C-alpha cells in the first residue's frame, strides 16, 4: 500500500493550520508503511480513538477528553451557540471513532463518498441490496443533523466489518452543510455515487460511464407487483430538485462520467430524466398498459385528445381550450416552463388513456433551452404543431 492517502490529505489541508485527526491517523500509518516500518497507530492515536468513542451520543463541546483531537477551534465571542463547523467536526470525530475501532488499517479513505461506500457495501454482499438501500435512504431523508448522525452511527460499523473506508474530510463538509440549502448537492452526490454503473475493473477510469441503459419507462412492467410503490416513489419527486429524492435513485439511468457523479453534478441529462420520470409516473397511474408509446409526440397526443373530444361531443369550446393549452406549451420559453405545461397536459392524457413517447420527451426537455443547440426548440415546435393538426383532423 502506498502513502497516497497521506499525500491527498496533506494537499486538502494546505490552507489549514493542522490536519484533521482522522487525516493525521491515516497519514502516520501510511508513512510508517511506506518507510518499511511496521504500520501501526501511535499511542496518541489510540488515546484519541478512546476519547472519540466516549463522545458518541454526547453533546458537542461537553466531552473534555475530546478537546485535544478537535482542529476547529472555538472563539471566545460571547456566543452561546457553537459554530456549525465545530458541531460537524464533533460528529465526524465520533463516527470516525466508531469506524476505526478495532480496524487494523486506516478507515479514512480520501475520495470515497458515502454513496460510494454504500455501493461497495452492496457489492460486498455483506447485506442484501434492499438492506443497504434502506440504510442509505434513511440517512438521506434525515430531517436534521442530529437524525442524520443517528443513522450514520448504525451504518459505519457495517462499513468497518466489510473493510470499507470513507472520506471523513468530505463527510465533515457534508455534515457542515446538512442544515443549509447546500444539502441538495450532498444528496445528489450520494445518489449518483450509489447508482454509478461502473464495474470494479473500471474503478480507475473516470470517463467510462458503462453501456447505455434503457430508461425506466422503456422497461416498465404494468403487471409487476412493485408497480404501485415504484410509481409513488417517482411521483414524490414532482417539483423537487433532480437527484435529491432518495426514493427515485434506483430509477435513474442517466449516463454520466464517474467524476461528475462523485461531485453531485446537476446536468441537463439528469434534470430532463428527472422531469420525464415524474411525468411518466403521473401518466401511468391506474393504467394496466404502458403509457410510453414510441412515436406519440406531445403534438400527436394532444391532437388525439382533441379528436376524441370532438367525437364525444365535447364541442368547439373544449377543442379551443385544448388548442390554447397546447399553444402555450409550444411557446414555452425554457425547460421549466415546458415542464409546467406538460404537468398540466399529462393528467388529461392519463384520463383519456393516450400515451406519450417519453424518449422523445426527455430529448426535448434536455435540449429545449440548450444554448449550444439553439434551433432544437424551433424544430420541436414546428413538428409538434404539425403532429397536432394531423392527429386532430384524422
Amino acid at each position: 500500500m502506498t502513502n497516497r492517502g497521506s499525500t491527498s490529505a496533506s494537499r486538502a489541508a494546505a490552507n489549514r493550520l493542522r490536519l484533521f485527526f482522522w487525516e493525521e491517523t491515516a497519514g502516520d500509518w501510511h508513512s510508517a508503511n511506506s518507510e518499511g516500518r511496521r504500520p501501526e497507530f501511535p499511542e496518541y492515536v489510540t488515546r484519541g480513538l478512546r476519547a472519540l468513542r466516549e463522545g458518541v451520543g454526547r453533546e458537542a463541546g461537553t466531552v473534555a477528553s475530546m478537546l485535544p483531537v478537535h482542529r476547529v477551534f472555538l472563539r471566545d465571542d460571547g456566543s452561546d451557540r457553537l459554530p456549525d463547523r465545530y458541531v460537524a467536526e464533533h460528529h465526524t470525530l465520533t463516527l470516525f471513532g466508531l469506524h476505526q475501532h478495532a480496524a487494523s488499517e486506516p478507515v479514512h479513505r480520501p475520495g470515497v463518498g458515502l454513496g460510494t461506500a454504500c455501493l461497495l457495501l452492496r457489492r460486498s454482499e455483506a447485506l442484501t441490496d434492499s438492506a443497504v438501500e434502506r440504510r442509505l435512504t434513511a440517512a438521506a431523508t434525515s430531517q436534521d443533523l442530529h437524525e442524520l448522525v443517528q443513522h450514520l452511527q448504525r451504518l459505519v460499523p457495517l462499513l468497518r466489518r466489510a473493510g470499507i473506508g470513507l472520506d471523513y474530510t468530505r463527510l465533515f463538509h457534508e455534515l457542515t452543510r446538512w442544515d443549509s440549502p447546500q444539502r441538495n448537492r450532498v444528496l445528489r452526490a450520494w445518489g449518483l455515487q450509489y447508482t454509478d454503473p461502473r464495474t470494479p475493473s473500471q474503478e480507475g477510469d473516470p470517463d467510462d460511464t458503462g453501456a447505455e441503459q434503457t430508461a425506466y419507462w422503456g422497461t416498465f412492467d404494468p403487471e409487476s407487483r412493485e408497480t404501485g410503490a415504484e410509481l409513488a416513489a417517482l411521483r414524490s419527486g414532482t417539483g423537487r430538485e433532480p437527484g435529491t429524492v432518495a426514493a427515485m435513485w434506483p430509477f435513474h439511468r442517466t449516463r454520466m462520467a464517474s467524476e461528475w457523479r462523485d461531485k453531485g453534478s446537476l446536468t441537463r441529462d439528469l434534470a430532463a430524466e428527472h422531469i420525464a420520470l415524474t411525468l411518466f409516473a403521473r401518466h401511468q397511474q391506474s393504467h394496466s398498459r404502458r403509457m410510453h408509446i414510441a412515436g406519440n409526440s406531445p403534438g400527436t397526443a394532444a391532437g388525439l385528445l382533441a379528436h376524441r373530444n370532438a367525437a364525444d361531443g365535447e364541442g368547439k369550446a373544449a377543442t379551443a381550450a385544448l388548442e390554447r393549452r397546447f399553444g402555450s406549451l409550444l411557446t414555452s420559453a425554457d425547460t421549466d416552463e415546458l415542464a409546467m405545461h406538460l404537468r398540466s397536459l399529462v393528467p388529461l392524457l392519463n384520463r383519456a388513456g393516450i400515451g406519450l413517447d417519453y424518449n422523445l420527451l426527455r430529448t426535448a426537455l434536455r435540449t429545449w433551452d440548450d444554448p449550444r443547440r439553439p434551433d432544437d426548440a424551433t424544430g420541436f415546435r414546428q413538428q409538434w404543431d404539425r403532429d397536432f393538426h394531423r392527429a386532430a383532423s384524422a
Side-chain angles (χ1 to χ4, degrees):
M1 185 178 290
T2 68
N3 64 348
R4 178 181 174 183
S6 176
T7 303
S8 299
S10 300
R11 286 200 302 267
N15 295 321
R16 282 189 266 116
L17 294 176
R18 189 176 176 186
L19 296 174
F20 285 118
F21 178 70
W22 51 84
E23 294 172 339
E24 287 183 358
T25 299
D28 288 345
W29 192 96
H30 286 300
S31 294
N33 189 53
S34 65
E35 293 167 7
R37 294 183 283 117
R38 180 182 176 185
E40 57 184 0
F41 298 115
E43 178 59 28
Y44 89 93
V45 168
T46 304
R47 289 197 308 270
L49 291 173
R50 283 198 297 268
L52 300 187
R53 293 193 295 275
E54 291 174 8
V56 175
R58 305 275 295 278
E59 186 176 341
T62 65
V63 186
S65 59
M66 285 185 63
L67 295 180
V69 298
H70 271 284
R71 301 296 180 259
V72 176
F73 297 106
L74 294 174
R75 296 177 180 176
D76 187 11
D77 57 3
S79 174
D80 293 331
R81 184 177 181 276
L82 292 173
D84 291 343
R85 284 173 53 83
Y86 188 87
V87 174
E89 187 191 28
H90 168 84
H91 291 309
T92 308
L93 284 165
T94 59
L95 291 168
F96 172 69
L98 288 173
H99 198 166
Q100 188 64 67
H101 178 60
S104 59
E105 295 187 4
V107 299
H108 168 57
R109 308 277 173 80
V112 181
L114 185 67
T116 300
C118 287
L119 175 60
L120 295 173
L121 182 60
R122 190 183 76 199
R123 288 177 177 168
S124 75
E125 299 182 352
L127 281 78
T128 64
D129 289 2
S130 60
V132 176
E133 201 163 292
R134 281 198 305 273
R135 284 166 170 78
L136 179 58
T137 298
T141 54
S142 300
Q143 295 301 304
D144 54 34
L145 180 61
H146 177 71
E147 183 183 350
L148 172 61
V149 171
Q150 288 183 318
H151 288 299
L152 293 178
Q153 285 171 352
R154 292 189 283 271
L155 180 57
V156 295
L158 302 176
L159 298 178
R160 181 189 69 231
R161 288 197 287 271
I164 297 168
L166 190 62
D167 187 334
Y168 275 88
T169 304
R170 178 176 189 145
L171 184 64
F172 161 72
H173 292 298
E174 291 173 340
L175 296 186
T176 303
R177 298 166 184 153
W178 191 256
D179 289 329
S180 78
Q182 296 180 63
R183 180 192 300 190
N184 280 349
R185 183 65 177 259
V186 174
L187 286 172
R188 187 161 46 249
W190 288 358
L192 289 171
Q193 291 165 18
Y194 184 67
T195 56
D196 194 330
R198 289 181 301 176
T199 63
S201 63
Q202 296 170 323
E203 291 294 327
D205 186 356
D207 295 320
D208 193 334
T209 56
E212 183 72 56
Q213 292 182 291
T214 303
Y216 170 77
W217 50 80
T219 60
F220 176 77
D221 179 8
E223 303 299 323
S224 170
R225 219 183 295 179
E226 307 299 324
T227 290
E230 291 176 358
L231 295 178
L234 295 176
R235 290 195 298 272
S236 71
T238 302
R240 306 273 295 279
E241 188 172 320
T244 67
V245 184
M248 292 184 66
W249 289 344
F251 308 105
H252 280 288
R253 307 288 185 267
T254 294
R255 295 185 66 179
M256 187 185 302
S258 294
E259 182 180 357
W260 292 7
R261 286 178 174 274
D262 190 57
K263 296 176 181 178
S265 302
L266 177 53
T267 64
R268 287 181 174 273
D269 289 321
L270 180 64
E273 184 187 34
H274 171 89
I275 297 169
L277 283 168
T278 59
L279 291 170
F280 174 75
R282 176 65 183 87
H283 196 169
Q284 186 64 51
Q285 189 177 11
S286 77
H287 283 286
S288 59
R289 63 184 181 87
R290 193 186 299 170
M291 287 292 102
H292 165 56
I293 305 295
N296 264 25
S297 72
T300 299
L304 290 172
L305 182 58
H307 180 77
R308 184 171 301 182
N309 287 345
D312 291 344
E314 295 287 339
K316 293 182 178 180
T319 301
L322 181 60
E323 287 182 349
R324 286 195 298 273
R325 185 190 296 268
F326 183 65
S328 297
L329 183 151
L330 290 181
T331 57
S332 297
D334 53 32
T335 298
D336 288 341
E337 187 179 349
L338 176 61
M340 178 188 70
H341 289 302
L342 287 168
R343 280 194 286 267
S344 68
L345 175 63
V346 159
L348 303 179
L349 301 178
N350 168 269
R351 288 196 290 271
I354 298 172
L356 265 178
D357 186 335
Y358 277 86
N359 289 329
L360 171 65
L361 200 62
R362 176 180 57 183
T363 300
L365 289 164
R366 161 66 180 82
T367 61
W368 194 266
D369 57 2
D370 188 343
R372 295 168 299 180
R373 305 177 67 168
D375 300 325
D376 280 24
T378 299
F380 283 123
R381 290 185 180 107
Q382 292 173 349
Q383 183 60 56
W384 292 358
D385 187 50
R386 289 193 295 269
D387 291 344
F388 176 85
H389 292 290
R390 186 183 303 114
S393 60

